[in-house]
Amino acid sequence: VQSTYSDDLPGAAVIVVKDGEVLYSGAKGLANVELNVPLNVDSVFRIGSITKQFTAASILLLEERGLLSVEDTIDQYLPDYPAEYASTITIHHLLSHTSGIVTYTGIPGYMTTEKIRADLSTSSLVDVFKDLEPNSAPGEEWLYNNSGYVLLGAIIESVSGQTYEEFVDENIFQKLSMNNSYYGKHNTIIPNRAAGYRVLDDHVENAPYISMTQPHAAGSLLSTVEDLAKWDAALFSGKVLSEDSFRKMTTAGELNNGEKHIYGYGFIIGRMMDMKVVSHGGGIFGFATAGMHIEGANLFVAVFSNGPSRERNPNSVAQDIVGVVLR
């Protein structure tokens, strides 16, 4: 952490927890460059696609309550989605990135024009991609897909009668006392919110604007490393989901032909030092994040940065920290 980040540039907050004990908790760099405000472990970051594990857990909570099944086709919950596609795509396909739907963040020009600045309702965001020809049939290939997680957010809203923000806040954040975790909004005053930057060498500029309605259930949440550690501890100790639901989240899936892929539900499943790793990163304008749980060592590491670059990649820093702890 000390060698990667500088005191006078945007930096990172880090937490390392092993067997329930915090081994390291700290931060280096600036939360606000213009005001010369330092980062700390209470700094609130956009967590990007780490949001997806909260979306997946929300779907599984609804399944445990008997309100849906991950094997249901999505036409049961999204009547406005084109029936020819919705009648063949299951919630499982959305969770595992195997739906074949076009990811809207990959539409040429979408992320680099004024489109990403527009405030959209959930249905208007779905309209951006719902009529596009799919890349493949459901279950045929694994392709990381933000559109699928937006649809999961729409399903959560349809089934629960709440907004995605309300459901996650009531059923996860409040229950786990994640008091510094939020759905991202520009107009809300959020204590200790870090500003996001682009950093190239030592050149720093403010990150481009993005309406936080756009990432929705694929990437709109904000949190701290300490809150993510609370979430990790609760999830891996069985305090959030049933054993069956937890297994679904943390087991890599397979395609129609039996070929394994790398994703569970909201988590990437891999190995490190011959141990199972359940992890996810996030990248959103001005921020990059990493959260990594090493199962065999009962080790959790989170690194949140508000000024990412190739040399200051949170995932690489997290892996290096794992190496230091377990060597």
Side-chain angles (χ1 to χ4, degrees):
V1 173
Q2 299 305 315
S3 63
T4 302
Y5 300 102
S6 304
D7 289 327
D8 58 348
L9 293 171
V14 178
I15 195 165
V16 183
V17 183
K18 189 174 190 315
D19 297 325
E21 177 187 353
V22 177
L23 300 185
Y24 177 82
S25 162
K28 188 172 183 183
L30 295 175
N32 189 296
V33 173
E34 291 163 315
L35 299 177
N36 198 37
V37 176
L39 286 164
N40 57 59
V41 291
D42 295 325
S43 295
V44 176
F45 296 74
R46 293 178 185 170
I47 61 172
S49 286
I50 289 179
T51 297
K52 290 180 171 68
Q53 57 201 253
F54 295 96
T55 301
S58 296
I59 288 286
L60 291 167
L61 286 171
L62 290 170
E63 183 177 54
E64 290 179 8
R65 295 169 190 175
L67 298 175
L68 57 74
S69 166
V70 297
E71 299 305 326
D72 290 341
T73 52
I74 66 173
D75 55 339
Q76 299 178 51
Y77 308 101
L78 304 173
D80 294 332
Y81 207 83
E84 60 180 312
Y85 307 140
S87 62
T88 62
I89 297 168
T90 65
I91 294 174
H92 163 78
H93 291 135
L94 301 180
L95 287 162
S96 59
H97 299 292
T98 57
S99 68
I101 294 169
V102 172
T103 183
Y104 71 104
T105 51
I107 296 172
Y110 192 84
M111 298 294 290
T112 56
T113 63
E114 293 295 308
K115 293 178 179 179
I116 201 64
R117 300 171 65 91
D119 292 334
L120 298 179
S121 65
T122 306
S123 60
S124 295
L125 183 56
V126 172
D127 286 344
V128 169
F129 58 83
K130 73 178 185 181
D131 294 317
L132 299 177
E133 185 75 20
N135 292 310
S136 61
E140 288 297 308
E141 65 175 345
W142 185 87
L143 188 63
Y144 191 80
N145 194 312
N146 287 308
S147 295
Y149 271 75
V150 168
L151 292 178
L152 290 169
I155 291 169
I156 290 167
E157 292 179 344
S158 174
V159 172
S160 70
Q162 298 176 288
T163 65
Y164 173 77
E165 174 186 0
E166 290 167 342
F167 187 89
V168 172
D169 184 62
E170 179 182 313
N171 292 276
I172 298 176
F173 293 164
Q174 291 185 31
K175 289 194 173 181
L176 299 182
S177 297
M178 296 174 64
N179 299 322
N180 297 305
S181 298
Y182 312 86
Y183 187 93
K185 292 180 178 178
H186 288 282
N187 59 337
T188 300
I189 301 300
I190 296 177
N192 298 314
R193 189 202 310 235
Y197 299 94
R198 287 199 294 202
V199 180
L200 183 60
D201 296 326
D202 289 337
H203 173 72
V204 181
E205 60 184 49
N206 291 312
Y209 179 85
I210 179 175
S211 167
M212 294 304 286
T213 64
Q214 296 260 359
H216 199 253
S220 277
L221 297 183
L222 279 61
S223 193
T224 65
V225 291
E226 290 185 329
D227 267 10
L228 198 69
K230 286 183 183 180
W231 159 251
D232 178 83
L235 184 66
F236 279 82
S237 63
K239 295 177 182 176
V240 178
L241 298 170
S242 69
E243 184 177 345
D244 183 57
S245 294
F246 178 75
R247 178 187 54 77
K248 290 177 181 178
M249 276 194 84
T250 58
T251 301
E254 61 181 46
L255 302 175
N256 294 341
N257 63 5
E259 180 183 339
K260 295 286 187 180
H261 58 73
I262 62 171
Y263 214 82
Y265 289 173
F267 281 118
I268 294 170
I269 314 302
R271 297 194 71 79
M272 186 175 180
M273 297 183 176
D274 203 33
M275 289 179 283
K276 182 180 178 181
V277 180
V278 179
S279 67
H280 215 291
I284 190 169
F285 295 3
F287 298 85
T289 55
M292 188 176 296
H293 187 106
I294 316 299
E295 280 201 352
N298 195 20
L299 171 66
F300 174 72
V301 178
V303 181
F304 291 178
S305 174
N306 67 329
S309 66
R310 183 174 300 176
E311 297 77 19
R312 299 148 52 85
N313 183 296
N315 190 61
S316 298
V317 174
Q319 290 184 35
D320 289 345
I321 291 171
V322 171
V324 169
V325 174
L326 299 183
R327 68 186 175 190

